[in-house]
Amino acid sequence: MASNYSLLLLFLVFAGTFLETKGKLSPKFYSSKCPKALSIVQEEVVAAIKNETRIGASLLRLHFHDCFVNGCDASVLLDDTSSFVGEKTAAPNNNSIRGFEVVDHIKARLEKACPGVVSCADLLALAARDSVVYLGGPSWKVRLGRRDSTTASRSAANTSIPPPTSNISSLISNFAAQNLSLRDLVALSGSHTIGLARCTSFRSRIYNESTIDAAFAKSLQGSCPRSGNDDNLANLDLQTPTHFDNLYYKNLLKVKGLLHSDQELFNGTSSADKLVKIYANNTFAFFKHFAKAMINMGNIEPLTGSQGEIRTNCRKVN
């Protein structure tokens, strides 16, 4: 009997090891490999946000733009090389995504503490969570164990990341292609409760659309003319662009969504309308669903086991 029990324990230990090597992400992945990893990322994220509040939204966006292009593999961080053109200059990213220097700084600290252990992909997932929490949003246990890609694809970024001109049907299709549900779509869109958008991404909406509050549109036209000033910025959330809350959804109910793709979530014609109303009236429901959606997004096609590598410098392949 005792020998059978010992065999069972041995099997369970082996099975756990097998699952880890075969791609099972776990919040405890670095518990013994790099015990200080999570605290290092958190400390640096908080310091970066204290230095520039906007960087929290930028770090969250990096994780999103990474995961939607061939999975959460830190491909978004790679600079161009002679063998591939990276994702930084793709249409959704060019002159738009930011925060690379903060990532570099965090990675340098991680490498000093635990050389060659913590992936850039996991760094992005942790930094996104820590940014949301520091700015007043929900927390969740980040599943870890991703590895980094050895290539990137500008063409994939151009086709996989939904543009701000997307309608509700294309948004639903885009998220479904990543195995994300309608609820995931509406909840993750709530990340636009923080951050800024460039004039070029909402110009057409404030001049040509009818599903927008007239006074709201006019208030934006001064800093976003019909031509020029493409890089002028506006708050994605009119009231609290540096606080993670549910006012984004309240703005949609008043047809004050900044981007066309934002307002498409509440346009009177789709099942997304119901979720927007729920989140506008219930911060707890929004936070709960957002946290679950972030976990789901973080599970998109991770490289694990012997796939990919652990980059020493997030900008380039080892």
Side-chain angles (χ1 to χ4, degrees):
M1 189 76 175
S3 61
N4 287 341
Y5 180 70
S6 298
L7 283 172
L8 176 62
L9 283 178
L10 184 64
F11 171 78
L12 290 173
V13 170
F14 174 78
T17 304
F18 179 78
L19 283 172
E20 182 175 311
T21 59
K22 296 304 284 186
K24 185 174 175 62
L25 302 182
S26 167
K28 298 181 179 180
F29 188 83
Y30 297 112
S31 295
S32 59
K33 297 178 181 181
C34 189
K36 294 183 179 179
L38 275 66
S39 61
I40 288 173
V41 175
Q42 182 186 42
E43 288 168 11
E44 293 302 327
V45 166
V46 169
I49 295 175
K50 285 181 177 179
N51 183 58
E52 183 202 13
T53 311
R54 181 189 175 194
I55 204 66
S58 300
L59 292 171
L60 175 58
R61 189 163 180 248
L62 271 179
H63 182 44
F64 173 81
H65 282 221
D66 177 39
C67 290
F68 264 61
V69 184
N70 297 323
C72 308
D73 60 3
S75 59
V76 71
L77 302 176
L78 288 172
D79 291 334
D80 296 349
T81 71
S82 57
S83 59
F84 65 80
V85 178
E87 298 161 22
K88 292 180 179 180
T89 55
N93 297 334
N94 197 32
N95 297 318
S96 180
I97 55 169
R98 55 199 299 276
F100 300 111
E101 293 77 13
V102 173
V103 171
D104 291 341
H105 188 70
I106 298 172
K107 180 60 173 171
R109 273 201 64 189
L110 289 170
E111 284 299 306
K112 186 175 181 180
C114 313
V117 173
V118 183
S119 69
C120 300
D122 279 346
L123 187 166
L124 289 180
L126 288 167
R129 189 272 310 273
D130 293 341
S131 294
V132 169
V133 171
Y134 186 75
L135 294 174
S139 185
W140 60 94
K141 290 184 178 180
V142 179
R143 296 174 183 174
L144 303 165
R146 302 169 191 81
R147 289 169 66 84
D148 301 324
S149 68
T150 55
T151 188
S153 172
R154 182 168 64 178
S155 60
N158 279 327
T159 57
S160 300
I161 300 171
T165 54
S166 299
N167 60 32
I168 186 62
S169 60
S170 64
L171 286 169
I172 291 172
S173 297
N174 185 285
F175 275 65
Q178 308 288 355
N179 291 317
L180 296 173
S181 68
L182 175 67
R183 197 180 83 172
D184 291 330
L185 159 63
V186 180
L188 289 172
S189 296
S191 61
H192 285 178
T193 187
I194 54 175
L196 305 167
R198 297 165 66 219
C199 167
T200 185
S201 66
F202 60 85
R203 174 182 284 123
S204 178
R205 172 158 166 74
I206 64 175
Y207 287 103
N208 303 322
E209 296 186 17
S210 58
T211 55
I212 186 170
D213 179 86
F216 174 59
K218 188 173 182 180
S219 71
L220 293 164
Q221 291 171 2
S223 59
C224 184
R226 289 183 182 273
S227 62
N229 294 333
D230 285 359
D231 293 330
N232 282 3
L233 301 170
N235 297 331
L236 282 161
D237 174 344
L238 188 62
Q239 298 95 334
T240 56
T242 59
H243 184 68
F244 200 97
D245 53 33
N246 70 336
L247 290 183
Y248 165 81
Y249 299 104
K250 293 179 183 291
N251 290 335
L252 296 185
L253 297 182
K254 300 174 183 177
V255 286
K256 292 183 179 181
L258 182 64
L259 306 179
H260 176 80
S261 56
D262 288 331
Q263 197 59 56
E264 279 289 289
L265 300 180
F266 189 77
N267 63 7
T269 65
S270 80
S271 50
D273 287 20
K274 182 180 178 180
L275 287 165
V276 170
K277 289 179 181 177
I278 290 172
Y279 298 156
N281 292 301
N282 190 331
T283 300
F284 176 80
F286 165 45
F287 279 13
K288 180 181 178 181
H289 292 173
F290 180 84
K292 288 184 177 180
M294 287 296 291
I295 292 171
N296 292 340
M297 186 180 76
N299 283 339
I300 298 175
E301 298 181 22
L303 300 176
T304 57
S306 60
Q307 298 172 313
E309 64 179 18
I310 304 298
R311 286 184 222 141
T312 302
N313 180 337
C314 291
R315 294 174 181 262
K316 61 183 183 179
V317 176
N318 291 343

